[in-house]
Amino acid sequence: MSIKQLVEEIKEYVDSKGKDFRLLFCVDEVGQYIGDDGNLMINLQSIVEELGSKCRGKVWVMVTSQEAIDSVVKISGDDFSKIQGRFNTRLSLSSASVDEVIKKRILEKTSDADQLLRMVYDKEHAVLKNLFTFNEAVLDIKGYVSGAEFSATYPFVPYQFIIIQKVLAEIRKHGNSGKHLSGGERSMLSGFQEAAQKVQGKDENALVPFSQFYDTVHTFLESPIRRVIDRCQTAADKHDGLEQRDVSVLKLLYLIRYIDDIKANIDNIAILMVDDIRTDKITLRREIAESLERLERQNYVARNGDNYSFLTDEEQDIAIDIRNTSVDSATIVQSIGQTIFSELYPSKKYKYNKYDFAYDQYIDETLVGAAQGGVRLRFVTVASDYYNVSEQKLIMDSQANNEAIVLLSNEVQYFEELETAAKIRKYIKQKNVSQLPESIQDIIRKRQAQARTLEESAKAQIDKAIVGGTFFIYGEKIEIKYGDAKNKLDEALKQLIESVYSKLNLVNTFYDSDADILTILNSEPYQGGFAGMGSNNEFALNEISQWLEERHMSHVPVSMGDVQRRYQAIPYGWREIDIAALVARLIVTQKIEIRYGGAVVGKDDKNLVRYLRVKSEVDKASVSRRIAPSEDDMRKTVKFLREWLGQMSIAEDEDGLVAFVKDTLSTKLGRYETLLIEYTHDRYPQKEVVQNARDLMAGVLSQKNDNVALLKRLLAKQDDLLDATDDMEEIETFFKSQRTIFDSARVLQKSLQDERDYFVTDADTTSKINEVASILGMAKPYTKIKDLSDLMQSIKTAYSVLLEQKKEEVRGIIILCMGDVHTLAGVGSKAADEVRKADERFSEYKQKVNDATSLTVLDAMITQLQNYKDQVCKWIESILHEAPPLPGEEKPKKQKIVQVRRYDVFPVKRLTTKEDVDGYLETIRKKLYDTLEANDGIQIN
């Protein structure tokens, strides 16, 4: 809606009410409305002018503000004076007796509540007095003086009404982003109301801690203040070194930061944090102390003696503090070292040909970074006592410490500039700059810029001090005439390396990767032998070989780690990979051997390179002079292997021969262990032969860690090895081509285990079953296994005949059972459903008979059929004889019908005469009579 439309609507409304009607048009909180927006000020001015001209004095315009309007509106000068002229009448209202307003509007109690609270005070007045006894506070900052005051102010404490006004006034000056935060009734009413609502669900012992008033002013604070509190809250929520109580303590410290009425010591903070009458003050004080310790550790508060303050202190005189800041000369020296080793000469290693030499970095007597244990590069500043010693002392020390000493020139003024910069850095380091007011941050940023300028200037001065410095390198004073600082330092380190590592150049052929070492290990023996001219690392090889020989003669064990450490150190300095390559060449030429875990490692072992290079392995690998088997043992071994294996192409050098023996025996050992696993599946023949062969191979291989012992054990066991190979031939053939039929026969034998009685009248089949069992039980059944196929076929054929006969018998029984059920039920019977179900069940039995493969199963099926038929017949009988009684008649007694099987009534018997028939029938008749006497009827199934 435009201003014109608004004025027109107001005019129409006023005119409609008559000539005596007056309208009050109010703009509340004009400070928030205008702020620093000039357009909004013009809008307000236009509304006033339009209403004045259109409504002819019938509309009064009033604006309100928490404070004087010119102190909250950010537009000043002639622009703001124009609108002020439109408001001739001004009223200034002050905050008086605000606590009375709060007590009436918010805290007024019912009569019951008033009585209860007075009783609480009477009971706890001594406790309350102790709780609210402040330390070094002004006199009017106190607790309750009577029950009436306790009731009137509950859940607040009288001191809070006094302090909160001062807090709001100070925050308005220092910490809020708008000018509309009031120190009078409205903000206080809001604060007390919000704080009271937070404890509304608690009992009469609850009190409001002063920290809860922070939420009232939170949204009006500048972002640097809010960020501190919010970051603290986040850390507490994540349990990142802080707790929830710590946040409340930090809020409290901010609230009282700008007032002097209460000292922010632990005792007073604890009182301000009281939230319950029953609070144990000692426990609370300890908890507050712990919170302050955590906050201080996390840089949220600062401690000055016994008092604590929120880390936004604006009262320090920065310039004076920087000037009075003291710095240790060690700090300046450290800064010089940082400049040299991080900017002027940042490389941590010096590259010399293929080598990268790490060096210890010293500034005066202080080591910069970690010690490397090799050579040193030391810079001496004017702050060091070392600066004034004699040249002879510097020469001696440079040789004793394997170092190059650079005595910085004192003709340039680098030290004073760095001292000033260090004072600024130290001062700023003590401040949490991001949390300071913008005005303070501006000053600090300027100081930071000054420090950077001084440091850059000092950097250039130090560069000149190096160029003009004096160099002492490994026992000599050296004059390096030309070059800048970097070039001079490069030359100094080059001369130092060449002097300290005097045997560095014995290695003149270099290697780059594991692949290079593998190439050496896979080369032919004696390739690249000593030429005597020092080329191809011959002198280095001689150096290692001679030292290992000395260690061997002295009976001193040597690990690959010892070799690496010795030849990487002074005076050699060789690279780790080149040392590994040199040892690999000695292995190939069979001068040394590597043992790991007591076992000799062959040159083709895939782990050998790791044993030569990997830090975690080199100390586990031993290096020793190689002791070779005798020529006679090697010749006998080759001869035996050719006879045993029928193989002529066998290596005759030590490594090749030993590797061949290990591979051959390991292969056979693995094969025999695999066969023994097969023996766990069945009782295969001659298991003990395989076990003996396996143990024989393992026994010879037990000496594989010693080449000499291995060949001697092999020669000692050659007869046993030949016998074992002969004994294993039939077993190998069995598992290769006879095992399948043997397994089939075993399966057939197990399947007939419970059915042999069916062949009692078949002598031929019984004989064949016994023959199969005999072959399977032989110790060496290999020549008889071929007969198993015919025997099994004959047995299976005979079994098939018996199986078909038994199936026909069962099918007949099924038909008889179905007939009995149908006969008993009769035509049109009430049991028709049961007959149908029985027919379906008997059909299922027919299918089972067709699928049956076991005589035992079929015999069991006969019993099942008869039992099922008996159950069905009994059920049909009960259905047929169950008739409902006529009206007025009693229900007839249920007849007792006994079920009798035909097989029981008519036992199996051979009859040859009429007398036999008569006697048989008489026996049946008597049995039926006897049964009928005890029952109402007989059901023959």
Side-chain angles (χ1 to χ4, degrees):
M1 180 182 294
S2 66
I3 293 175
K4 181 176 290 187
Q5 290 173 328
L6 174 63
V7 172
E8 289 295 331
E9 288 190 9
I10 293 174
K11 180 179 182 300
E12 291 177 5
Y13 178 80
V14 171
D15 291 342
S16 68
K17 295 296 183 178
K19 64 179 181 179
D20 295 327
F21 180 79
R22 297 293 183 268
L23 176 67
L24 177 64
F25 182 86
C26 182
V27 180
D28 194 22
E29 292 295 346
V30 69
Q32 295 184 52
Y33 174 73
I34 296 178
D36 57 357
D37 192 337
N39 293 327
L40 294 178
M41 182 197 70
I42 295 173
N43 287 346
L44 178 61
Q45 180 179 338
S46 300
I47 290 173
V48 174
E49 291 174 349
E50 288 291 325
L51 287 175
S53 63
K54 298 285 186 181
C55 299
R56 298 179 299 281
K58 291 185 178 182
V59 177
W60 297 352
V61 179
M62 180 176 73
V63 298
T64 66
S65 174
Q66 290 285 338
E67 300 292 338
I69 190 170
D70 55 351
S71 67
V72 294
V73 174
K74 298 180 181 179
I75 300 171
S76 59
D78 294 336
D79 291 336
F80 184 66
S81 64
K82 294 178 182 179
I83 192 170
Q84 279 185 309
R86 301 294 185 272
F87 296 90
N88 295 325
T89 303
R90 301 176 188 172
L91 297 177
S92 178
L93 303 178
S94 62
S95 298
S97 301
V98 66
D99 55 334
E100 294 300 324
V101 178
I102 294 172
K103 292 172 186 177
K104 290 291 183 182
R105 291 186 56 182
I106 299 176
L107 304 180
E108 187 173 11
K109 313 296 189 303
T110 63
S111 60
D112 291 339
D114 178 73
Q115 184 178 0
L116 173 62
L117 291 172
R118 289 173 183 267
M119 291 173 58
V120 171
Y121 180 81
D122 291 339
K123 178 182 177 182
E124 304 288 352
H125 71 276
V127 174
L128 289 169
K129 182 177 181 180
N130 180 60
L131 275 179
F132 298 105
T133 301
F134 287 94
N135 185 355
E136 297 181 11
V138 295
L139 294 180
D140 62 344
I141 307 299
K142 57 186 177 181
Y144 308 100
V145 297
S146 67
E149 186 179 49
F150 177 78
S151 174
T153 59
Y154 180 85
F156 299 97
V157 188
Y159 77 83
Q160 294 175 341
F161 294 87
I162 299 172
I163 295 179
I164 191 63
Q165 293 186 67
K166 298 181 179 180
V167 168
L168 293 174
E170 292 300 323
I171 288 178
R172 185 173 177 273
K173 295 177 183 177
H174 299 91
N176 67 300
S177 56
K179 294 294 186 179
H180 52 278
L181 182 64
S182 172
E185 290 91 350
R186 183 172 299 181
S187 295
M188 289 185 64
L189 282 171
S190 174
F192 277 84
Q193 182 180 19
E194 292 172 1
Q197 288 172 345
K198 293 178 182 178
V199 298
Q200 63 183 356
K202 298 183 179 181
D203 61 18
E204 67 273 13
N205 294 294
L207 297 172
V208 175
F210 195 75
S211 60
Q212 288 194 1
F213 288 103
Y214 171 84
D215 295 339
T216 301
V217 302
H218 174 75
T219 56
F220 306 114
L221 299 179
E222 292 181 345
S223 59
I225 303 298
R226 292 201 304 269
R227 279 200 302 269
V228 175
I229 304 296
D230 293 342
R231 191 171 70 248
C232 180
Q233 182 67 62
T234 300
D237 292 341
K238 295 181 178 180
H239 304 289
D240 192 9
L242 295 178
E243 299 178 2
Q244 294 300 330
R245 179 184 292 276
D246 305 344
V247 183
S248 298
V249 172
L250 187 62
K251 291 177 179 178
L252 173 65
L253 287 174
Y254 175 72
L255 291 175
I256 64 174
R257 177 66 189 89
Y258 303 105
I259 63 175
D260 298 322
D261 293 357
I262 298 178
K263 300 298 182 182
N265 52 48
I266 293 178
D267 290 331
N268 289 342
I269 293 171
I271 294 172
L272 294 170
M273 290 296 294
V274 169
D275 60 359
D276 196 292
I277 296 173
R278 298 161 296 188
T279 298
D280 184 345
K281 196 171 181 180
I282 296 175
T283 302
L284 178 60
R285 188 184 188 282
R286 184 181 68 250
E287 293 173 351
I288 296 299
E290 292 172 353
S291 289
L292 291 169
E293 182 179 353
R294 287 189 292 269
L295 289 169
E296 184 180 7
R297 189 166 56 243
Q298 297 286 341
N299 295 322
Y300 285 99
V301 302
R303 181 166 64 92
N304 183 14
D306 295 332
N307 297 327
Y308 293 81
S309 62
F310 190 89
L311 275 180
T312 54
D313 188 1
E314 300 177 356
E315 302 174 353
Q316 297 184 24
D317 187 341
I318 296 175
I320 295 176
D321 286 351
I322 292 176
R323 188 167 59 250
N324 294 335
T325 299
S326 62
V327 292
D328 190 359
S329 61
T331 305
I332 314 301
V333 172
Q334 183 180 6
S335 177
I336 296 172
Q338 183 73 15
T339 300
I340 294 174
F341 293 117
S342 296
E343 300 181 55
L344 297 179
Y345 200 70
S347 177
K348 305 303 179 185
K349 294 183 178 180
Y350 175 73
K351 188 170 184 62
Y352 182 90
N353 294 334
K354 280 279 188 175
Y355 299 94
D356 288 315
F357 285 99
Y359 56 91
D360 294 343
Q361 301 174 337
Y362 274 84
I363 182 73
D364 292 342
E365 291 79 32
T366 303
L367 173 66
V368 178
Q372 304 298 325
V375 296
R376 295 181 182 179
L377 176 61
R378 182 196 300 271
F379 294 88
V380 180
T381 72
V382 294
S384 174
D385 294 337
Y386 207 52
Y387 196 84
N388 298 314
V389 299
S390 64
E391 287 189 356
Q392 189 61 34
K393 170 68 173 173
L394 294 172
I395 290 173
M396 293 172 58
D397 287 354
S398 66
Q399 184 170 21
N401 298 325
N402 300 324
E403 66 183 341
I405 298 176
V406 182
L407 202 65
L408 295 176
S409 172
N410 62 355
E411 296 179 0
V412 290
Q413 303 297 319
Y414 59 86
F415 200 89
E416 292 78 1
E417 293 182 350
L418 286 175
E419 183 178 18
T420 302
K423 286 186 175 184
I424 296 174
R425 296 293 187 194
K426 183 177 180 181
Y427 169 78
I428 295 175
K429 188 176 182 181
Q430 296 170 346
K431 302 297 177 183
N432 194 346
V433 178
S434 63
Q435 302 303 318
L436 295 176
E438 187 63 31
S439 59
I440 304 301
Q441 292 188 43
D442 287 341
I443 298 174
I444 289 178
R445 281 193 287 268
K446 292 177 182 178
R447 294 290 183 173
Q448 285 177 318
Q450 179 188 4
R452 286 193 294 270
T453 301
L454 290 171
E455 287 166 350
E456 287 298 320
S457 174
K459 176 181 174 182
Q461 297 298 323
I462 293 171
D463 188 284
K464 294 180 181 179
I466 294 172
V467 173
T470 306
F471 290 79
F472 301 87
I473 302 174
Y474 196 62
E476 292 186 63
K477 181 180 179 181
I478 304 295
E479 184 178 356
I480 304 175
K481 295 183 178 180
Y482 306 106
D484 57 15
K486 182 181 181 305
N487 290 333
K488 285 198 170 187
L489 294 176
D490 284 343
E491 179 61 25
L493 285 176
K494 176 178 179 294
Q495 294 190 30
L496 178 64
I497 294 301
E498 291 175 346
S499 300
V500 172
Y501 293 97
S502 57
K503 295 189 177 183
L504 182 65
N505 292 325
L506 293 183
V507 174
N508 45 49
T509 300
F510 302 98
Y511 302 89
D512 298 319
S513 67
D514 288 353
D516 294 337
I517 298 177
L518 287 172
T519 300
I520 295 173
L521 293 173
N522 292 329
S523 63
E524 292 297 325
Y526 306 105
Q527 180 178 347
F530 305 134
M533 300 300 293
S535 61
N536 198 19
N537 296 338
E538 277 83 7
F539 289 165
L541 285 168
N542 280 329
E543 187 81 23
I544 296 178
S545 181
Q546 183 177 351
W547 180 69
L548 290 175
E549 182 67 23
E550 292 173 356
R551 298 292 92 184
H552 175 74
M553 297 300 294
S554 302
H555 304 288
V556 177
V558 178
S559 70
M560 188 63 204
D562 296 330
V563 177
Q564 285 283 7
R565 285 185 288 272
R566 172 179 173 82
Y567 292 102
Q568 288 183 50
I570 298 170
Y572 302 97
W574 301 340
R575 298 187 308 161
E576 168 267 325
I577 191 171
D578 293 329
I579 297 170
L582 291 169
V583 172
R585 286 181 62 181
L586 293 174
I587 293 171
V588 170
T589 56
Q590 301 185 10
K591 292 183 175 294
I592 64 172
E593 62 184 6
I594 302 294
R595 290 178 177 266
Y596 190 90
V600 176
V601 182
K603 68 173 186 174
D604 54 348
D605 191 307
K606 63 181 181 180
N607 290 315
L608 180 54
V609 176
R610 296 181 67 250
Y611 301 155
L612 298 180
R613 298 198 62 192
V614 177
K615 288 184 178 180
S616 60
E617 301 289 353
V618 291
D619 285 319
K620 302 175 185 176
S622 64
V623 184
S624 60
R625 193 187 68 170
R626 183 165 181 162
I627 302 176
S630 67
E631 292 292 335
D632 186 53
D633 284 347
M634 292 178 62
R635 185 173 58 255
K636 290 179 180 178
T637 299
V638 172
K639 180 180 178 182
F640 165 69
L641 291 174
R642 288 172 178 169
E643 176 187 356
W644 182 34
L645 303 174
Q647 181 176 339
M648 299 304 294
S649 58
I650 296 175
E652 298 185 9
D653 66 284
E654 180 186 348
D655 286 346
L657 178 60
V658 169
F660 181 81
V661 170
K662 290 179 181 179
D663 289 344
T664 301
L665 296 179
S666 296
T667 301
K668 289 183 176 292
L669 177 62
R671 171 59 181 165
Y672 299 155
E673 288 177 341
T674 301
L675 289 179
L676 288 174
I677 294 174
E678 299 299 329
Y679 278 95
T680 61
H681 300 153
D682 204 341
R683 299 188 306 277
Y684 295 127
Q686 291 193 290
K687 178 180 179 180
E688 68 282 355
V689 173
V690 182
Q691 289 175 328
N692 292 336
R694 185 270 313 272
D695 295 342
L696 179 60
M697 301 304 152
V700 177
L701 281 172
S702 66
Q703 303 301 315
K704 65 180 180 179
N705 295 337
D706 188 328
N707 293 353
V708 175
L710 177 65
L711 297 189
K712 288 188 177 295
R713 176 64 66 89
L714 180 72
L715 293 174
K717 296 291 183 179
Q718 54 185 320
D719 292 338
D720 295 336
L721 292 169
L722 291 170
D723 292 341
T725 301
D726 292 340
D727 293 340
M728 287 298 300
E729 286 184 1
E730 288 182 322
I731 297 174
E732 292 284 6
T733 301
F734 169 79
F735 280 102
K736 183 177 181 181
S737 60
Q738 295 179 326
R739 175 185 174 180
T740 302
I741 190 171
F742 188 91
D743 288 343
S744 298
R746 183 75 78 193
V747 172
L748 179 62
Q749 182 187 43
K750 291 180 180 178
S751 67
L752 295 175
Q753 186 173 355
D754 297 329
E755 299 188 330
R756 293 189 62 179
D757 290 342
Y758 292 104
F759 298 97
V760 67
T761 58
D762 188 347
D764 182 58
T765 302
T766 301
S767 174
K768 290 178 179 178
I769 292 174
N770 292 335
E771 187 174 354
V772 169
S774 175
I775 294 173
L776 294 177
M778 288 181 177
K780 298 178 67 174
Y782 311 116
T783 59
K784 289 289 187 178
I785 289 177
K786 59 181 174 43
D787 299 332
L788 288 175
S789 294
D790 292 339
L791 292 171
M792 287 191 294
Q793 187 60 43
S794 297
I795 294 169
K796 289 178 181 178
T797 300
Y799 188 84
S800 296
V801 173
L802 290 177
L803 187 65
E804 189 57 37
Q805 291 175 353
K806 180 62 69 175
K807 286 184 178 181
E808 287 300 323
E809 178 184 353
V810 178
R811 291 187 186 105
I813 292 173
I814 293 173
I815 294 172
L816 289 174
C817 290
M818 293 177 69
D820 290 345
V821 171
H822 282 268
T823 300
L824 178 62
V827 179
S829 170
K830 293 188 294 182
D833 287 341
E834 300 303 323
V835 173
R836 180 181 53 78
K837 294 178 182 178
D839 287 346
E840 292 175 355
R841 182 62 175 158
F842 286 130
S843 296
E844 293 175 3
Y845 273 110
K846 287 180 181 180
Q847 186 60 44
K848 287 183 178 181
V849 171
N850 293 336
D851 296 337
T853 59
S854 169
L855 293 169
T856 305
V857 171
L858 289 170
D859 269 342
M861 202 178 296
I862 293 173
T863 303
Q864 295 172 7
L865 282 165
Q866 292 172 347
N867 289 336
Y868 177 69
K869 184 205 67 172
D870 291 347
Q871 294 174 5
V872 172
C873 289
K874 185 176 180 181
W875 178 244
I876 292 174
E877 182 71 25
S878 66
I879 294 174
L880 294 176
H881 290 82
E882 186 178 283
L886 295 174
E889 293 183 357
E890 294 184 3
K891 185 177 181 180
K893 185 179 179 181
K894 187 175 181 180
Q895 291 183 322
K896 184 178 181 182
I897 307 299
V898 67
Q899 303 286 331
V900 179
R901 294 181 180 177
R902 275 185 302 225
Y903 297 98
D904 296 332
V905 177
F906 304 100
V908 177
K909 190 171 183 181
R910 185 183 295 274
L911 305 176
T912 59
T913 64
K914 291 181 178 181
E915 289 78 8
D916 291 342
V917 173
D918 293 339
Y920 184 75
L921 294 175
E922 184 61 32
T923 301
I924 294 172
R925 184 181 295 107
K926 184 177 184 305
K927 184 182 297 185
L928 292 175
Y929 286 162
D930 292 341
T931 304
L932 190 59
E933 287 180 1
N935 301 279
D936 295 325
I938 301 174
Q939 176 66 46
I940 299 178
N941 298 324

